[in-house]
Amino acid sequence: MGKVYLVGAGPGDAELISVKGKRLVESCDVLIYDRLISEEIISWARKDCEKIYVGKSAGAHSFTQDNINKILVEKAADSNIVVRLKGGDPFVFGRGGEEAAILIENNIDFEVVPGITSAIAVPEAAGIPVTHRGASQDIHIVTGHTAESEITDYAALAKTRGTIVFLMAANTIGSIASRLIEKGMSGKTPVAVIENGTTKSESITRTTLENIGSVQIVPPAVIVVGKTAEYDMKSDNRIKSVAITGTEDFRKRLKARLINKGYTVKEVCCLKVIPADLNIKFDEFDWLVFTGRNGVKIFIDYIKRTKTDLRSLKNKIAVIGEGTYNALAEHGIYADYMPDKYTSEALGKGLAKIAPNASKLVLRAEKGSDELYRHINNCKEAILYRVEAESITECREDYIVFGSSLGVNTYLEQYKIDENTKIIAIGEVTCNTLISRGYNNVCCCEKSTVESIVEEIEKNEKIQTTEDK
Ligand code: SAH
């Protein structure tokens, strides 16, 4: 006489069977299996293993439970290892208990190998935790088959503040919902329907108790009722896309870092830097003030072109932030002043404090913001360059990044920003430009560095994948 193993195959994904279950499938002499077992699992059986399908075919019961019991007893008598494979866990609506009872009755050696039940795993894999501190402290696993009978105490169920998981309820959930509402459960209670959970054809529908009756459900489906049904604790593995705008240097540096972090990048608004004719008399000023990396680049070009010896420059130098500081440092020039906060306002206020009366030359782009000049006096401006749109295409990405007001204005001349696109902007001035043009939902990076843009995007991504409290 052989031994029978009542094995749970797990919820759908073949890999969710236990190690023991897999070993038994691979080694058994007879494999008796139900519907909803993945073909992959069946394919693990030995070539000479006798495979007996006892599931429903085309809606008709091809085998009654009596029939199955008989086969089990017979096969146990003349085979060595018999695996009775069931979807999910054998003892959760799997009639595993009945089969165990028959085996006991017939003195047949058997063992139950638990499986991962669809009642918990299907919601879980779809992002729904069936218990969650503060939201659901109990789970009720209920069959939809007894919907019309008095077996299930709907009055008690309607009172739960936990999670109710319905199995085999694709056709009865409408009347179950009416009953729960009748017994006092709110019609607004969240409901999630997960069809073909943990398989490639998994699909999830979210609705409410009062509307579930009108949802078309194709079995197999798990239906979750309760607060946790609206949870979505799944990390979105889709690769996110970022649209970038700005000058070449900015785009290049930002693009490299974003690609490094796994984003796809599209350049939607390319700005060209066009150097202006310059004639700067450095010795007329105590301070040179730089507001960006592009300015530094043009300044250095100018120095080289005019063969100005760096040693002749006696000016003190102020920069708006780290990026500009580093751009100068690359040429052996170390700025004397950089504000703590990288904004025009902070730079202006800082300069007003440390060098109120000193003469200042602000080297920057045409059409820059006036913010800086609100705070300093005794200053002149040298327009180093102007920016022109090179190409603009419509943004269809998850994020759009603006590095300057000019970028914002240039892009908005042609296109609007879709409300599903998250806007990331460097600096208050750029943010204010966006706000003044009707975009209120802007993530503003405090620091004007490409690193802080990437950080801001990463922060946003994290918020979306953590639980909503
Ligand atoms: N013993 C099984 C349940 C058997 S009852 C277990 O523990 O999972 C069969 C019911 O399980 C189906 O009607 C359906 O409600 C649910 N079910 C099983 N597999 C499923 C899947 N992959 N996706 C959604 N529901 C599933």
Side-chain angles (χ1 to χ4, degrees):
M1 181 118 70
K3 182 167 174 178
V4 176
Y5 292 88
L6 294 176
V7 179
D13 177 353
E15 293 207 311
L16 292 177
I17 193 171
S18 67
V19 175
K20 191 169 187 173
K22 180 168 195 255
R23 176 172 59 75
L24 287 164
V25 169
E26 285 166 346
S27 60
C28 64
D29 303 296
V30 181
L31 179 64
I32 305 167
Y33 64 102
D34 284 342
R35 147 189 102 95
L36 297 185
I37 308 276
S38 104
E39 278 173 27
E40 188 183 340
I41 292 181
I42 306 304
S43 76
W44 297 337
R46 290 184 348 230
K47 272 209 174 70
D48 59 341
C49 165
E50 184 186 357
K51 293 173 206 126
I52 307 171
Y53 174 72
V54 294
K56 266 196 240 173
S57 61
H61 277 285
S62 37
F63 287 87
T64 61
Q65 189 62 44
D66 274 352
N67 243 324
I68 297 171
N69 295 349
K70 224 179 260 162
I71 295 172
L72 267 179
V73 174
E74 263 171 41
K75 292 296 166 189
D78 56 31
S79 314
N80 198 3
I81 303 174
V82 178
V83 166
R84 168 69 176 113
L85 193 59
K86 291 170 167 295
D89 180 85
F91 281 12
V92 178
F93 299 127
R95 304 187 77 163
E98 286 165 59
E99 292 177 18
I102 295 292
L103 296 169
I104 292 169
E105 213 172 88
N106 287 275
N107 264 322
I108 296 166
D109 189 16
F110 78 97
E111 189 179 323
V112 183
V113 180
I116 296 179
T117 180
S118 63
I120 292 169
V122 165
E124 178 172 8
I128 298 171
V130 287
T131 72
H132 189 78
R133 244 162 78 102
S136 162
Q137 300 292 89
D138 44 83
I139 328 162
H140 310 263
I141 301 172
V142 181
T143 168
H145 270 175
T146 55
E148 300 309 321
S149 73
E150 291 306 320
I151 297 172
T152 303
D153 185 349
Y154 286 98
L157 218 48
K159 289 199 182 71
T160 185
R161 276 181 281 166
T163 305
I164 314 175
V165 179
F166 289 98
L167 301 189
M168 299 178 280
N171 301 317
T172 50
I173 191 66
S175 65
I176 291 173
S178 308
R179 254 165 111 169
L180 288 171
I181 291 170
E182 191 188 295
K183 302 283 183 196
M185 190 173 245
S186 163
K188 305 279 181 244
T189 308
V191 175
V193 179
I194 307 123
E195 294 169 358
N196 293 304
T198 79
T199 71
K200 282 205 176 68
S201 42
E202 173 178 308
S203 79
I204 176 161
T205 310
R206 311 241 184 201
T207 178
T208 54
L209 201 58
E210 61 194 0
N211 292 324
I212 183 67
S214 53
V215 176
Q216 275 284 336
I217 305 171
V218 181
V222 167
I223 302 164
V224 185
V225 175
K227 184 157 180 29
T228 56
E230 62 184 357
Y231 281 45
D232 187 9
M233 291 177 167
K234 239 177 149 177
S235 77
D236 185 349
N237 290 326
R238 187 172 65 83
I239 293 175
K240 292 295 174 70
S241 54
V242 183
I244 59 179
T245 66
T247 55
E248 191 182 355
D249 173 62
F250 175 72
R251 294 193 320 265
K252 220 159 96 185
R253 286 177 302 117
L254 182 57
K255 189 174 180 177
R257 279 175 183 75
L258 285 167
I259 287 174
N260 215 337
K261 290 274 182 192
Y263 297 93
T264 58
V265 177
K266 191 169 166 207
E267 301 179 41
V268 295
C269 177
C270 302
L271 302 177
K272 204 162 44 181
V273 173
I274 300 164
D277 285 337
L278 287 171
N279 183 15
I280 307 174
K281 303 233 173 337
F282 290 108
D283 50 11
E284 286 178 8
F285 303 95
D286 301 318
W287 283 80
L288 302 180
V289 182
F290 290 94
T291 62
R293 296 177 68 110
N294 286 319
V296 170
K297 187 170 179 293
I298 289 179
F299 164 74
I300 296 291
D301 287 348
Y302 175 77
I303 296 267
K304 286 185 180 162
R305 206 171 53 244
T306 54
K307 293 212 164 67
T308 307
D309 193 313
L310 276 179
R311 290 169 301 180
S312 70
L313 297 183
K314 301 286 183 278
N315 320 77
K316 290 214 168 216
I317 291 181
V319 293
I320 194 164
E322 210 173 271
T324 316
Y325 183 95
N326 290 339
L328 277 168
E330 278 169 29
H331 299 279
I333 302 168
Y334 298 92
D336 303 278
Y337 177 72
M338 177 175 85
D340 291 336
K341 224 175 138 195
Y342 302 165
T343 63
S344 301
E345 185 188 356
L347 176 62
K349 283 185 174 165
L351 274 173
K353 211 168 181 184
I354 61 168
N357 301 314
S359 56
K360 305 159 196 89
L361 180 68
V362 178
L363 300 107
R364 62 173 210 171
E366 192 182 76
K367 290 196 207 153
S369 100
D370 288 336
E371 184 60 34
L372 183 62
Y373 302 125
R374 269 198 262 281
H375 309 282
I376 54 174
N377 48 37
N378 196 8
C379 70
K380 275 199 173 154
E381 183 178 75
I383 301 288
L384 295 177
Y385 63 98
R386 67 193 163 83
V387 165
E388 238 178 39
E390 208 171 359
S391 65
I392 309 178
T393 41
E394 194 172 5
C395 161
R396 299 190 187 283
E397 335 317 295
D398 299 300
Y399 291 91
I400 187 164
V401 179
F402 291 103
S404 68
S405 294
L406 260 166
V408 173
N409 292 328
T410 312
Y411 181 79
L412 292 180
E413 259 167 41
Q414 298 235 2
Y415 299 107
K416 285 197 179 110
I417 305 167
D418 187 273
E419 58 182 28
N420 293 320
T421 299
K422 295 215 173 58
I423 307 172
I424 311 278
I426 275 191
E428 261 167 43
V429 177
T430 315
C431 286
N432 289 338
T433 306
L434 279 155
I435 291 165
S436 72
R437 307 234 8 195
Y439 295 96
N440 293 313
N441 217 350
V442 180
C443 299
C444 191
C445 305
E446 266 194 22
K447 294 199 168 187
S448 318
T449 59
V450 288
E451 284 79 13
S452 70
I453 296 171
V454 177
E455 261 167 40
E456 195 65 41
I457 293 176
E458 296 270 280
K459 226 191 304 170
N460 244 281
E461 287 295 297
K462 261 192 210 119
I463 292 168
Q464 281 171 53
T465 52
T466 10
E467 60 180 88
D468 35 330
K469 297 238 165 77

